Amino acid sequence: MSIEILFVGTGDAFGSGGRRNSAILVRSAGRTLLLDCGPTTAAGLKTLGVDPREIDAIAISHFHGDHVAGVPFLLLDYLYQNPRSEPLEILGPAGTRERVERLAADFEYGVDPDGAFPLRYRSFEIGRTLEVGDFLVTPTSAHHAPQTRPHMLRVETDRRALFYSGDTGWHEELPDKVGDVDLFVCECVYMQAGAYPLHMATEELVRTRSRFRCRDLRLTHLGREVLDDLDRVPFDTADDGLRITL
Ligand SMILES: [Zn+2]
Ligand SMILES: [Zn+2]
């Protein structure tokens, strides 16, 4: 079974280059999983002609706003603009439910579906695989701001697998965590290594690429430094709206 990937948002937290914040739609066998949900996600889905109701589950990698702050807006959409009756699952680090409810309250939105559609939350445990339709989602730890409870996610069907870095800096275990997937979607904010250890840099990936066993690697969460020098980046990069099939 193939996996279709639609990059909804490929920018960093600052919207560098006019890009949307992190959000990646993953489709297989009529099921849709959204990896991260930055604040620009609802607008992105509509720009790309995606009906938000096709999303069966949202997986949040960590609690930085550019990855999670769009969830209350999607819930709002499901209540007022595109009413849904199908169940929705939200997967994320421990405390995701409280985080989403707190964000919605801070935004002054009442987003409790109150029976309009079933809403279920499930928490990540390192190494424990969650089944979402035909998808298997396996979280691992990331090297990122610890208070955000950072995770990376392996997403697989019976035939294809991808690995999503969420936000992470380089760490020695990273190539083994990624494993032999078809595609590694890796965040990359910087060109020069060492600028900020909690994000990736192209220099780091050039140095270590041979240690990764993934078939393909594609960069996302692109920072200003990378975008300013895109011609010199020796890796595939994702743009908002890019579609690829594994
Ligand atoms: Zn981020
Ligand atoms: Zn982050």
Side-chain angles (χ1 to χ4, degrees), residues 11-13 22 62 64 66-67 144 166-167 187 199 221:
D12 60 7
S22 293
H62 68 298
H64 270 148
D66 57 314
H67 298 255
H144 195 59
D167 282 0
E187 70 118 287
H199 282 297
H221 201 287

